[in-house]
Amino acid sequence: MENNRFKQAETATWIGIIANGMLAIMKGIIGWIAGSRALIADAAHSASDVAGSFAVLAGLKTAKKPPDKDHPYGHGKAENIATIVVAILLIVVGLEITLSSLKLFFEEAPVAPKGIALLAILISILVKEILFQYKYRLAKKINSQALLAEAWHHRSDVLSSVAAFIGVFGAMLGQYYQIPVLLYFDPLAGLIVAVIVIKIGFSLAKQSSSVMMEQVLEQEEVQPFYETVSMIEGVKNIDEILARTHGHYVVVDIKVAVDANLSVAEGHMISKQVKEKLLTDHDKIKKVFVHINPYQREVVL
């Protein structure tokens, strides 16, 4: 099941690499021919998707490696490292687009792009929305943070392409109706694209950083684990349970109280049942550490 999860994620990533590569080339060439700053910026965004996808692919290949001596908890965080790489790429590309677009406001009045730019943008919007829907649904299904980052990268492309379309169309109207101010819609769209890209980059970096720091799950997320363990015969009380993220899976540390008169072997058997039950009933849990405490009945005076 775990291998199938990574196979699906890798297939989706390769589909993204091929599609983004073709879109980046198409938008770059047409953007240059049409003279559209917004479309060229959009092409750079798609090119960053390709680089980001290769980073995700590397992260997925590392994450699927089994635990070893140096990494006893597994390699799950490799996906989150890949996500942070994608986030940094988004921020860098966004800053580059910002600088190149701002320069146009201090030069001579720009020339409106050619109409072919609109066709390229419409094709990009369609392809990127299909990729977003496909990867977003798959990421939720297999709980892949890296694939989810890729999906949002595609959605940022959709938003930036919409901004580019408005910019190009506005500039064309400005030239047709001789309204100089509308000619600046194209570089203005480039700035809007940059803001969208940078915002998504920071959002992904923040989300992945919390996982890298092994953020403890909220009480409502841990409650099902409590309910599972409390049903096990011999468990008198759950003294403490800590569940933390480790990449795409969860590691659980739990302290359970058992009858103080039980033998070590009997206590160990209950511990084993706790571990196996959590692993069996909750797919997200991949590691469980159980500590046995003697049950102390409270004396009410």
Side-chain angles (χ1 to χ4, degrees), residues 197-272:
V197 171
I198 292 171
K199 185 177 182 297
I200 291 177
F202 274 111
S203 176
L204 289 175
K206 181 182 178 182
Q207 189 175 359
S208 289
S209 294
S210 67
V211 176
M212 290 293 291
M213 297 296 289
E214 295 194 348
Q215 183 179 20
V216 177
L217 300 186
E218 298 293 335
Q219 182 61 37
E220 58 268 21
E221 296 176 282
V222 178
Q223 188 59 36
F225 307 158
Y226 271 100
E227 295 171 2
T228 297
V229 176
S230 63
M231 297 295 290
I232 297 174
E233 187 177 353
V235 174
K236 298 292 186 181
N237 189 55
I238 301 172
D239 294 340
E240 184 181 40
I241 180 168
L242 295 174
R244 63 187 189 278
T245 55
H246 191 88
H248 65 280
Y249 53 83
V250 173
V251 176
V252 175
D253 293 282
I254 183 170
K255 294 179 181 179
V256 296
V258 301
D259 191 330
N261 296 316
L262 292 179
S263 67
V264 173
E266 289 171 326
H268 174 71
M269 185 58 65
I270 293 174
S271 163
K272 187 176 180 182

Side-chain angles (χ1 to χ4, degrees), residues 12-255:
T13 303
W14 273 113
I15 290 173
I17 288 172
I18 294 169
N20 278 319
M22 293 175 68
L23 283 175
I25 293 170
M26 178 195 72
K27 288 189 284 189
I29 293 174
I30 294 179
W32 180 72
I33 292 173
S36 171
R37 177 64 60 177
L39 188 54
I40 291 173
D42 211 21
H45 192 182
S46 292
S48 75
D49 271 358
V50 176
S53 292
F54 275 114
V56 168
L57 200 60
L60 288 170
K61 287 184 179 295
T62 302
K64 71 180 180 180
K65 292 180 180 179
D68 52 36
K69 184 179 179 181
D70 295 325
H71 306 88
Y73 294 98
H75 301 77
K77 287 186 179 179
E79 282 192 55
N80 299 95
I81 294 172
T83 304
I84 291 174
V85 171
V86 173
I88 292 172
L89 281 170
L90 280 170
I91 294 169
V92 171
V93 168
L95 292 173
E96 286 289 337
I97 295 171
T98 300
L99 292 174
S100 62
S101 296
L102 282 174
K103 287 180 181 178
L104 292 179
F105 287 94
F106 300 98
E107 297 175 358
E108 294 181 5
V111 178
K114 295 181 175 65
I116 192 174
L118 293 178
L119 178 61
I121 295 170
L122 287 174
I123 292 172
S124 176
I125 291 172
L126 177 63
V127 173
K128 299 300 289 192
E129 183 60 26
I130 291 173
L131 284 173
F132 169 76
Q133 294 294 339
Y134 165 53
K135 290 191 179 182
Y136 181 82
R137 295 170 192 272
L138 181 58
K140 289 294 185 180
K141 178 182 176 183
I142 65 177
N143 190 31
S144 172
Q145 195 68 33
L147 201 59
L148 187 62
E150 273 216 300
W152 282 111
H153 204 159
H154 292 315
R155 173 49 65 84
S156 73
D157 254 353
V158 172
L159 297 175
S160 66
S161 291
V162 170
F165 184 90
I166 294 171
V168 170
F169 188 67
M172 290 171 64
L173 286 178
Q175 184 163 296
Y176 184 81
Y177 290 106
Q178 297 298 304
I179 307 175
V181 69
L182 290 182
L183 294 174
Y184 287 95
F185 266 41
D186 185 52
L188 180 62
L191 283 176
I192 294 172
V193 170
V195 171
I196 293 170
V197 171
I198 292 171
K199 185 177 182 297
I200 291 177
F202 274 111
S203 176
L204 289 175
K206 181 182 178 182
Q207 189 175 359
S208 289
S209 294
S210 67
V211 176
M212 290 293 291
M213 297 296 289
E214 295 194 348
Q215 183 179 20
V216 177
L217 300 186
E218 298 293 335
Q219 182 61 37
E220 58 268 21
E221 296 176 282
V222 178
Q223 188 59 36
F225 307 158
Y226 271 100
E227 295 171 2
T228 297
V229 176
S230 63
M231 297 295 290
I232 297 174
E233 187 177 353
V235 174
K236 298 292 186 181
N237 189 55
I238 301 172
D239 294 340
E240 184 181 40
I241 180 168
L242 295 174
R244 63 187 189 278
T245 55
H246 191 88
H248 65 280
Y249 53 83
V250 173
V251 176
V252 175
D253 293 282
I254 183 170
K255 294 179 181 179

